[in-house]
Amino acid sequence: MLKAVHKHVKCKWALLYIERWLTAPLEQDGQRIERDCGTPQGGVAQRWQQREATGDMIIVRYADDVVVGFEREEDARRFLDAMRARLEEFALSLHPDKTRLIEFGRFAAVDRKKRGLGKPETFTFLGFTFICGKTRKGRFQLQRKTRSDRMRAKLKDIKAELRRRMHWPIPEQGKWLRQVVTGHFAYYAVPTNGRKLSAFRHHVTDLWRRTLRRRSRRDGFTWARMTKLTDDWLPKPRILHPWPSDASPSATQGRSRVLESGSLGSERRAPSNGRPYRESATTKRSRLACVVRDVVENAAKAIIALARRSL
């Protein structure tokens, strides 16, 4: 990653700070851990976590976007104030539309209902909308759905491109659409997102049918014919990514694993047990971290692949 940065950035001071940030050691369980590979999620804010946080804290970062989860509201407000003050020292500010403090998690729906409020708010991150949902048995489930605005924008681009390829042979159109749909599923085919995948494929089929009908006044493209055509060319929606509990640890460089750390204590309002809290999928309070981390894994691998190609 440093080689790719050196190729595109010439400012020596910027390179110095980036290198220090990537190679900064970790402090875990009172011990200093030196690193020679990998980029830990939330490594920059770990010191604040250890010194200031009074409850559990989860940090998930990708590029300049970050999601921070807190067990206690007072920690979240102090962290937000500290971040704003820090950025103001360099004449920077947080995006007003993207920066929010919301109540989210396993107990959010119950707590809000007791106060007479509605359902918990949702938030978006890396093309997904994160929702406090429930399973069929009524248990809490963090659900991920494709962002509606992103899907509309993608369908708009497909419509414009189909118009340009209107008079191409049907097999060539089918090959191109298969690549588009396959690429969409490769990223968005996560658990709890099956309906959005089916909706995307249906809309692509409808756009393709309308394009083919415009090629001639003789309308022979009925839905029955289009169904056969799409079954031949477009992949059917299916979940490609595992559940967070089955996902393997992240890797940011070669086979190095992402170092995980957290504050002490694991259950809600539980006192510390003297052992460092780890973002394990079996721990109830770590569901959000594991779900979001599963999304970040794929994006991080793509960034690393692009960086290696640019060398």
Side-chain angles (χ1 to χ4, degrees), residues 94-147:
L94 296 172
H95 197 290
D97 297 332
K98 295 182 179 181
T99 304
R100 293 188 300 156
L101 184 63
I102 65 173
E103 188 175 7
F104 194 90
R106 182 180 301 275
F107 306 101
V110 177
D111 292 343
R112 290 176 65 86
K113 186 176 181 179
K114 291 179 180 178
R115 300 196 304 270
L117 302 176
K119 295 181 178 180
E121 296 182 63
T122 63
F123 69 93
T124 58
F125 187 60
L126 298 179
F128 288 91
T129 299
F130 290 80
I131 306 170
C132 289
K134 292 183 179 181
T135 63
R136 295 180 180 179
K137 296 182 179 180
R139 298 176 180 176
F140 172 79
Q141 183 183 64
L142 195 149
Q143 298 178 351
R144 293 172 288 177
K145 308 291 184 183
T146 306
R147 284 181 55 173

Coordinates of all heavy atoms in Angstrom, one line a residue, residues 94-147:
L94 N -16.8 17.9 9.9 CA -17.5 16.7 9.5 C -18.6 17.1 8.6 O -19.2 18.1 8.6 CB -18.1 16.1 10.8 CG -17.1 15.5 11.8 CD1 -17.8 15.1 13.1 CD2 -16.3 14.4 11.2
H95 N -18.9 16.1 7.7 CA -20.0 16.3 6.7 C -21.4 16.4 7.5 O -21.7 15.5 8.2 CB -20.1 15.2 5.7 CG -20.9 15.6 4.5 ND1 -22.2 15.7 4.5 CD2 -20.5 15.8 3.2 CE1 -22.7 16.0 3.3 NE2 -21.6 16.1 2.5
P96 N -22.1 17.5 7.4 CA -23.3 17.6 8.2 C -24.4 16.6 7.9 O -25.2 16.2 8.7 CB -23.8 19.1 7.9 CG -23.2 19.4 6.6 CD -21.9 18.7 6.5
D97 N -24.5 16.2 6.6 CA -25.5 15.3 6.2 C -25.1 13.8 6.5 O -26.0 13.0 6.6 CB -25.8 15.4 4.7 CG -26.3 16.8 4.4 OD1 -27.0 17.4 5.2 OD2 -26.1 17.3 3.2
K98 N -23.8 13.5 6.6 CA -23.4 12.1 6.8 C -23.1 11.8 8.2 O -22.9 10.7 8.6 CB -22.2 11.9 5.9 CG -22.4 11.9 4.4 CD -21.2 11.6 3.6 CE -21.5 11.6 2.1 NZ -20.3 11.2 1.3
T99 N -23.0 12.8 9.1 CA -22.6 12.6 10.5 C -23.9 12.7 11.3 O -24.6 13.7 11.4 CB -21.7 13.7 10.9 OG1 -20.5 13.7 10.1 CG2 -21.2 13.4 12.3
R100 N -24.2 11.5 11.9 CA -25.4 11.4 12.8 C -25.1 10.7 14.0 O -24.2 9.8 14.0 CB -26.6 10.8 12.0 CG -27.1 11.5 10.8 CD -28.4 10.8 10.3 NE -28.1 9.5 9.9 CZ -28.9 8.5 9.8 NH1 -30.2 8.7 10.2 NH2 -28.6 7.3 9.4
L101 N -25.9 11.0 15.0 CA -25.8 10.2 16.3 C -27.2 9.5 16.5 O -28.2 10.2 16.7 CB -25.5 11.1 17.5 CG -25.3 10.4 18.8 CD1 -24.1 9.5 18.8 CD2 -25.1 11.5 19.9
I102 N -27.2 8.2 16.3 CA -28.5 7.5 16.3 C -28.5 6.4 17.3 O -27.4 5.9 17.7 CB -28.8 6.9 14.9 CG1 -27.8 5.8 14.5 CG2 -28.9 8.0 13.9 CD1 -28.2 5.1 13.3
E103 N -29.6 6.0 17.8 CA -29.8 4.8 18.7 C -30.0 3.6 17.8 O -31.0 3.5 17.1 CB -30.9 5.1 19.6 CG -31.1 4.0 20.7 CD -32.2 4.4 21.7 OE1 -32.9 5.3 21.4 OE2 -32.3 3.7 22.7
F104 N -29.1 2.6 17.9 CA -29.1 1.5 17.0 C -28.5 0.3 17.8 O -27.6 0.4 18.6 CB -28.2 1.8 15.8 CG -28.4 0.8 14.7 CD1 -29.3 1.1 13.7 CD2 -27.6 -0.3 14.6 CE1 -29.5 0.2 12.6 CE2 -27.8 -1.2 13.6 CZ -28.7 -1.0 12.6
G105 N -29.1 -0.9 17.5 CA -28.5 -2.1 18.1 C -29.6 -3.0 18.6 O -30.8 -2.9 18.4
R106 N -29.1 -4.0 19.4 CA -30.0 -5.1 19.8 C -31.1 -4.6 20.7 O -32.3 -5.1 20.7 CB -29.2 -6.1 20.6 CG -29.9 -7.3 21.1 CD -29.0 -8.2 21.9 NE -27.9 -8.7 21.0 CZ -28.0 -9.7 20.2 NH1 -29.2 -10.4 20.1 NH2 -27.0 -10.1 19.4
F107 N -30.9 -3.6 21.6 CA -31.9 -3.1 22.5 C -32.5 -1.8 22.1 O -33.3 -1.2 22.9 CB -31.2 -2.9 23.9 CG -30.5 -4.1 24.4 CD1 -29.1 -4.2 24.3 CD2 -31.2 -5.2 24.9 CE1 -28.4 -5.4 24.7 CE2 -30.5 -6.3 25.4 CZ -29.1 -6.4 25.3
A108 N -32.2 -1.3 20.9 CA -32.7 0.0 20.5 C -34.2 0.0 20.4 O -34.9 1.0 20.8 CB -32.0 0.5 19.2
A109 N -34.8 -1.0 19.7 CA -36.2 -1.0 19.5 C -37.0 -1.1 20.8 O -38.0 -0.4 21.0 CB -36.6 -2.2 18.6
V110 N -36.5 -1.9 21.7 CA -37.2 -2.0 23.0 C -37.1 -0.7 23.8 O -38.1 -0.3 24.4 CB -36.6 -3.2 23.8 CG1 -37.2 -3.3 25.2 CG2 -36.7 -4.5 23.1
D111 N -35.9 -0.1 23.9 CA -35.8 1.1 24.6 C -36.6 2.2 24.0 O -37.2 3.0 24.8 CB -34.3 1.5 24.7 CG -33.4 0.5 25.5 OD1 -34.0 -0.3 26.2 OD2 -32.2 0.5 25.3
R112 N -36.6 2.3 22.7 CA -37.4 3.4 22.1 C -38.9 3.2 22.3 O -39.7 4.1 22.4 CB -37.1 3.5 20.6 CG -35.7 4.0 20.3 CD -35.4 3.9 18.8 NE -36.2 4.8 18.1 CZ -36.0 6.1 17.8 NH1 -34.9 6.7 18.4 NH2 -36.8 6.9 17.1
K113 N -39.3 1.9 22.3 CA -40.7 1.7 22.5 C -41.2 2.1 23.9 O -42.3 2.5 24.1 CB -41.0 0.2 22.3 CG -42.5 -0.2 22.3 CD -42.7 -1.7 22.0 CE -44.2 -2.0 22.0 NZ -44.4 -3.4 21.7
K114 N -40.3 1.9 24.9 CA -40.6 2.2 26.3 C -40.8 3.8 26.4 O -41.5 4.2 27.2 CB -39.5 1.8 27.2 CG -39.4 0.3 27.4 CD -38.3 -0.1 28.3 CE -38.2 -1.6 28.5 NZ -37.1 -2.1 29.4
R115 N -40.0 4.5 25.6 CA -40.1 6.0 25.6 C -41.2 6.5 24.7 O -41.3 7.7 24.5 CB -38.8 6.6 25.2 CG -37.6 6.2 26.2 CD -36.4 7.1 26.0 NE -35.9 7.1 24.7 CZ -35.0 6.3 24.2 NH1 -34.5 5.4 24.9 NH2 -34.6 6.5 22.9
G116 N -41.9 5.6 24.0 CA -43.0 6.0 23.1 C -42.5 6.5 21.8 O -43.2 7.3 21.1
L117 N -41.3 6.1 21.4 CA -40.8 6.5 20.1 C -41.0 5.4 19.0 O -41.4 4.3 19.4 CB -39.3 6.8 20.2 CG -38.9 7.9 21.2 CD1 -37.4 8.1 21.3 CD2 -39.6 9.2 20.8
G118 N -40.7 5.7 17.8 CA -40.9 4.8 16.7 C -39.7 3.8 16.6 O -38.9 3.6 17.5
K119 N -39.6 3.2 15.4 CA -38.6 2.2 15.2 C -37.2 2.9 15.1 O -37.1 4.1 14.9 CB -38.8 1.5 13.8 CG -40.1 0.7 13.8 CD -40.2 0.0 12.4 CE -41.5 -0.9 12.4 NZ -41.6 -1.6 11.0
P120 N -36.1 2.2 15.4 CA -34.8 2.7 15.4 C -34.5 3.3 14.0 O -34.9 2.7 12.9 CB -33.9 1.6 15.7 CG -34.8 0.6 16.5 CD -36.1 0.8 15.9
E121 N -33.7 4.3 13.9 CA -33.2 4.8 12.6 C -32.3 3.9 11.9 O -31.7 3.0 12.5 CB -32.5 6.2 12.8 CG -33.4 7.3 13.4 CD -32.6 8.6 13.5 OE1 -32.2 9.1 12.5 OE2 -32.4 9.0 14.7
T122 N -32.2 4.0 10.6 CA -31.3 3.3 9.8 C -30.1 4.1 9.5 O -30.1 5.4 9.6 CB -31.9 2.7 8.6 OG1 -32.4 3.8 7.8 CG2 -33.2 1.9 8.9
F123 N -29.0 3.5 9.0 CA -27.9 4.3 8.5 C -27.3 3.5 7.3 O -27.5 2.3 7.1 CB -26.8 4.5 9.5 CG -26.1 3.2 9.9 CD1 -24.9 2.8 9.3 CD2 -26.5 2.4 10.9 CE1 -24.2 1.7 9.7 CE2 -25.9 1.2 11.3 CZ -24.7 0.9 10.7
T124 N -26.6 4.2 6.4 CA -26.0 3.7 5.2 C -24.5 3.7 5.3 O -23.9 4.6 5.9 CB -26.4 4.5 4.0 OG1 -26.0 5.9 4.1 CG2 -27.9 4.5 3.8
F125 N -23.9 2.6 4.7 CA -22.5 2.5 4.8 C -22.0 1.5 3.7 O -22.6 0.4 3.5 CB -22.0 1.9 6.1 CG -20.5 1.9 6.3 CD1 -19.8 3.1 6.3 CD2 -19.9 0.7 6.6 CE1 -18.4 3.0 6.5 CE2 -18.5 0.7 6.8 CZ -17.8 1.9 6.8
L126 N -21.1 2.0 2.8 CA -20.6 1.2 1.7 C -21.7 0.6 0.8 O -21.6 -0.5 0.4 CB -19.7 0.1 2.3 CG -18.5 0.5 3.1 CD1 -17.8 -0.7 3.6 CD2 -17.6 1.4 2.3
G127 N -22.7 1.4 0.5 CA -23.7 1.0 -0.5 C -24.8 0.2 0.2 O -25.8 -0.3 -0.6
F128 N -24.8 -0.1 1.5 CA -25.9 -0.8 2.2 C -26.6 0.1 3.1 O -26.0 1.0 3.7 CB -25.3 -2.0 2.9 CG -24.8 -3.1 2.0 CD1 -23.5 -3.2 1.6 CD2 -25.6 -4.1 1.7 CE1 -23.0 -4.2 0.8 CE2 -25.2 -5.2 0.9 CZ -23.9 -5.2 0.4
T129 N -27.9 -0.3 3.4 CA -28.7 0.3 4.4 C -28.7 -0.7 5.6 O -29.2 -1.8 5.4 CB -30.1 0.7 4.0 OG1 -30.0 1.6 2.9 CG2 -30.9 1.3 5.1
F130 N -28.3 -0.3 6.8 CA -28.3 -1.2 7.9 C -29.6 -0.9 8.7 O -29.9 0.2 9.1 CB -27.1 -1.0 8.8 CG -25.8 -1.4 8.1 CD1 -25.2 -0.7 7.1 CD2 -25.3 -2.7 8.4 CE1 -24.0 -1.1 6.5 CE2 -24.1 -3.1 7.8 CZ -23.5 -2.3 6.8
I131 N -30.3 -2.0 9.1 CA -31.6 -1.9 9.7 C -31.6 -2.8 10.9 O -31.1 -3.9 10.9 CB -32.7 -2.4 8.7 CG1 -32.6 -1.6 7.4 CG2 -34.1 -2.3 9.3 CD1 -33.5 -2.1 6.3
C132 N -32.3 -2.4 12.0 CA -32.6 -3.2 13.2 C -33.8 -4.0 12.9 O -34.9 -3.5 13.0 CB -32.8 -2.3 14.4 SG -31.3 -1.5 15.0
G133 N -33.6 -5.3 12.4 CA -34.7 -6.1 12.1 C -34.9 -7.3 13.1 O -34.3 -7.3 14.1
K134 N -35.8 -8.2 12.7 CA -36.1 -9.3 13.5 C -36.1 -10.6 12.6 O -36.4 -10.5 11.4 CB -37.4 -9.2 14.2 CG -37.4 -8.1 15.3 CD -38.8 -8.1 15.9 CE -38.9 -7.0 17.0 NZ -40.2 -7.0 17.7
T135 N -35.8 -11.7 13.2 CA -35.9 -13.0 12.5 C -37.4 -13.5 12.6 O -38.2 -12.8 13.2 CB -35.0 -14.1 13.2 OG1 -35.5 -14.3 14.6 CG2 -33.6 -13.6 13.3
R136 N -37.6 -14.6 11.9 CA -39.0 -15.1 12.0 C -39.4 -15.5 13.4 O -40.6 -15.6 13.7 CB -39.1 -16.3 11.0 CG -38.9 -16.0 9.6 CD -39.0 -17.2 8.7 NE -38.8 -16.8 7.3 CZ -38.8 -17.7 6.3 NH1 -39.0 -19.0 6.6 NH2 -38.6 -17.4 5.1
K137 N -38.5 -15.8 14.2 CA -38.8 -16.1 15.6 C -38.8 -14.9 16.5 O -39.0 -15.1 17.7 CB -37.7 -17.1 16.1 CG -37.7 -18.5 15.4 CD -36.7 -19.4 16.0 CE -36.7 -20.7 15.3 NZ -35.7 -21.7 15.9
G138 N -38.7 -13.7 16.0 CA -38.8 -12.5 16.8 C -37.5 -12.1 17.4 O -37.5 -11.1 18.2
R139 N -36.4 -12.7 17.1 CA -35.1 -12.3 17.7 C -34.5 -11.1 16.9 O -34.8 -11.0 15.7 CB -34.2 -13.5 17.7 CG -34.7 -14.6 18.6 CD -33.7 -15.8 18.5 NE -34.2 -16.9 19.3 CZ -33.6 -18.1 19.4 NH1 -32.5 -18.3 18.7 NH2 -34.1 -19.1 20.1
F140 N -33.6 -10.4 17.5 CA -32.9 -9.3 16.9 C -32.1 -9.8 15.7 O -31.4 -10.8 15.8 CB -32.1 -8.5 17.8 CG -31.2 -7.5 17.2 CD1 -31.7 -6.3 16.8 CD2 -29.9 -7.7 17.0 CE1 -30.9 -5.3 16.2 CE2 -29.0 -6.8 16.4 CZ -29.6 -5.6 16.0
Q141 N -32.1 -9.1 14.6 CA -31.2 -9.4 13.5 C -30.8 -8.1 12.8 O -31.7 -7.3 12.4 CB -32.0 -10.3 12.5 CG -31.1 -10.8 11.3 CD -31.9 -11.6 10.3 OE1 -32.9 -11.1 9.7 NE2 -31.5 -12.9 10.2
L142 N -29.5 -7.9 12.6 CA -29.1 -6.8 11.9 C -29.1 -7.1 10.4 O -28.5 -8.0 9.9 CB -27.6 -6.4 12.2 CG -27.2 -5.1 11.8 CD1 -26.1 -4.5 12.7 CD2 -26.5 -5.1 10.4
Q143 N -29.9 -6.3 9.7 CA -30.2 -6.6 8.3 C -29.5 -5.6 7.4 O -29.4 -4.4 7.7 CB -31.7 -6.6 8.0 CG -32.5 -7.6 8.8 CD -34.0 -7.6 8.6 OE1 -34.5 -6.6 7.9 NE2 -34.7 -8.6 9.1
R144 N -29.1 -6.1 6.2 CA -28.4 -5.2 5.2 C -29.2 -5.3 3.9 O -29.5 -6.3 3.4 CB -27.0 -5.7 5.0 CG -26.0 -5.6 6.1 CD -24.7 -6.2 5.9 NE -24.8 -7.7 5.9 CZ -23.8 -8.5 5.7 NH1 -22.6 -8.0 5.3 NH2 -24.0 -9.8 5.8
K145 N -29.5 -4.1 3.4 CA -30.3 -4.0 2.2 C -29.5 -3.0 1.2 O -28.8 -2.1 1.7 CB -31.7 -3.4 2.4 CG -32.5 -4.1 3.5 CD -32.9 -5.5 3.0 CE -33.8 -6.2 4.1 NZ -34.1 -7.5 3.7
T146 N -29.6 -3.3 -0.1 CA -29.0 -2.4 -1.0 C -29.6 -1.0 -0.9 O -30.9 -0.9 -0.8 CB -29.2 -2.9 -2.5 OG1 -28.8 -4.3 -2.5 CG2 -28.5 -2.1 -3.5
R147 N -28.8 0.0 -0.9 CA -29.3 1.4 -0.9 C -30.2 1.6 -2.1 O -29.8 1.4 -3.2 CB -28.2 2.4 -0.9 CG -27.5 2.5 0.5 CD -26.4 3.5 0.4 NE -26.8 4.8 0.0 CZ -26.1 5.9 0.0 NH1 -24.8 5.9 0.4 NH2 -26.6 7.1 -0.4

